[in-house]
Amino acid sequence: MRNIILNLAITLDGFIEGPNGEIDWLVRDDEFDFGDILTDILSDKDIIFYGRISYDKWGNSQPDENASQKIKDAYKLLHNKQKYVFSKTKKGDNTNAIFINSNIKESVLGIKEQPGKNIWLYGGAKLITTFLNLDLIDEYRLAVHPVILGEGKPLFQNIEDRHKLRLTDAKGYKSGVTLLSYKTDRTTNS
Amino acid sequence: MRNIILNLAITLDGFIEGPNGEIDWLVRDDEFDFGDILTDILSDKDIIFYGRISYDKWGNSQPDENASQKIKDAYKLLHNKQKYVFSKTKKGDNTNAIFINSNIKESVLGIKEQPGKNIWLYGGAKLITTFLNLDLIDEYRLAVHPVILGEGKPLFQNIEDRHKLRLTDAKGYKSGVTLLSYKTDRTTNS
């Protein structure tokens, strides 16, 4: 069965964006450029899940003209994935994206059962909350950036239940970023 | 100069306690028992800073009668440290603890300049906020436990500025706990 994986960069105090959408706190990593990171995230996935706001903002974004070939290739890879957009009202756009308006849990479980690779839960925060509260997230791969931001959009908010996790990997990089990987531990959730 | 070190266990979603003070989410670590952890935290410190509420709750607590000798020894070590309690009103108690009622920054900088070991900023959350906003924390040693708690007392709240950090260590343990160590990066704070 496909797994739903939350791949995301967060600050040490758990924000995914500043109060005005700032992502200027993302540290550069000399070991990896953004093209490598994106390609790596996409390597085991063939579906991307977006909330409507995130989709409008990032779902069809293109790299800068002056971006490296690596980044351009990564974007091509990104836009070849099947996209699903979760929206209460919007039915579709002029792309191949599939819009889901209701019955989230049933729709998602149906998609998970189809043969294929894993699913990238892209965000944003509201969709992540919905997925967490429906216990639909199977893995977390969080890049913790070395900054306390103070204010912004928290990754975890309005979570209704406790979720136990199993650490599968923890690795610190020279840039100060730590990659923490967890699987949802459904055997012991209390 | 002495460093002020925040040693603390947190959940992946950044809570230090549940809504009613619960710490039942702390996972047991077969590699270390609590006596070892406490002894390790205390090994490079000779001063402990408490907020008044934390001091009342934990400042003079004793181990269970049936606790291991290791834990009893760790508590002895703990209670031999010089304690400072930050309180707006309380002037003292029947112990050697020193109460600080005002001029926090000046008092703390004075203590830092005295020769000696490092200082454990024990908490709670309000004192940590005060220290962060006065830029008085030099190191963070956070034990991130593998759980999303959903609600409780957040470690980071009402932080006024962005604080850049330098990752000094990241290590995952079999228990699922990750130890993240940072130093405050004052050279590049923006």
Side-chain angles (χ1 to χ4, degrees), chain A residues 131-151:
Chain A
F131 270 61
L132 243 168
N133 286 335
L134 292 171
D135 197 19
L136 287 172
I137 304 179
D138 301 300
E139 290 185 37
Y140 301 78
R141 298 181 191 165
L142 301 176
V144 182
H145 284 245
V147 62
I148 296 166
L149 198 58
E151 52 174 358

Side-chain angles (χ1 to χ4, degrees), chain A residues 1-187:
Chain A
M1 183 144 41
R2 298 166 183 275
N3 283 321
I4 298 178
I5 302 174
L6 179 69
N7 273 96
L8 211 63
I10 61 171
T11 66
L12 182 61
D13 49 346
F15 294 109
I16 57 177
E17 285 183 3
N20 301 306
E22 299 92 333
I23 52 169
D24 59 327
W25 46 268
L26 289 165
V27 301
R28 280 167 185 242
D29 194 320
D30 291 338
E31 294 169 80
F32 304 102
D33 74 25
F34 179 66
D36 288 326
I37 293 170
L38 190 53
T39 303
D40 185 58
I41 289 174
L42 293 167
S43 65
D44 65 340
K45 317 220 172 50
D46 57 9
I47 288 179
I48 308 175
F49 282 173
Y50 295 90
R52 205 267 308 155
I53 297 168
S54 295
Y55 178 74
D56 284 349
K57 198 167 168 189
W58 306 105
N60 293 292
S61 63
Q62 292 295 338
D64 193 84
E65 258 184 44
N66 305 316
S68 68
Q69 192 56 44
K70 214 183 245 179
I71 288 182
K72 287 179 182 169
D73 291 345
Y75 268 87
K76 255 184 227 159
L77 198 61
L78 174 76
H79 293 312
N80 277 325
K81 305 293 176 183
Q82 176 63 56
K83 296 169 189 169
Y84 286 85
V85 184
F86 295 81
S87 163
K88 284 215 170 68
T89 52
K90 201 169 175 180
K91 305 283 180 194
D93 62 2
N94 59 350
T95 73
N96 291 326
I98 298 171
F99 283 67
I100 293 180
N101 302 125
S102 59
N103 298 322
I104 292 182
K105 186 157 191 175
E106 294 71 17
S107 308
V108 168
L109 291 177
I111 296 163
K112 282 189 69 172
E113 278 171 12
Q114 296 162 4
K117 294 184 173 182
N118 292 323
I119 297 164
W120 183 10
L121 176 59
Y122 186 96
K126 245 173 96 177
L127 189 67
I128 294 167
T129 297
T130 300
F131 270 61
L132 243 168
N133 286 335
L134 292 171
D135 197 19
L136 287 172
I137 304 179
D138 301 300
E139 290 185 37
Y140 301 78
R141 298 181 191 165
L142 301 176
V144 182
H145 284 245
V147 62
I148 296 166
L149 198 58
E151 52 174 358
K153 286 190 195 150
L155 167 57
F156 297 113
Q157 54 181 336
N158 306 316
I159 308 302
E160 290 163 4
D161 297 301
R162 190 182 289 204
H163 295 264
K164 287 192 183 173
L165 307 174
R166 193 158 54 77
L167 183 73
T168 53
D169 199 26
K171 197 165 176 211
Y173 292 89
K174 262 191 292 180
S175 61
V177 174
T178 308
L179 280 184
L180 298 181
S181 302
Y182 297 94
K183 292 193 174 177
T184 299
D185 183 356
R186 295 201 171 90
T187 59

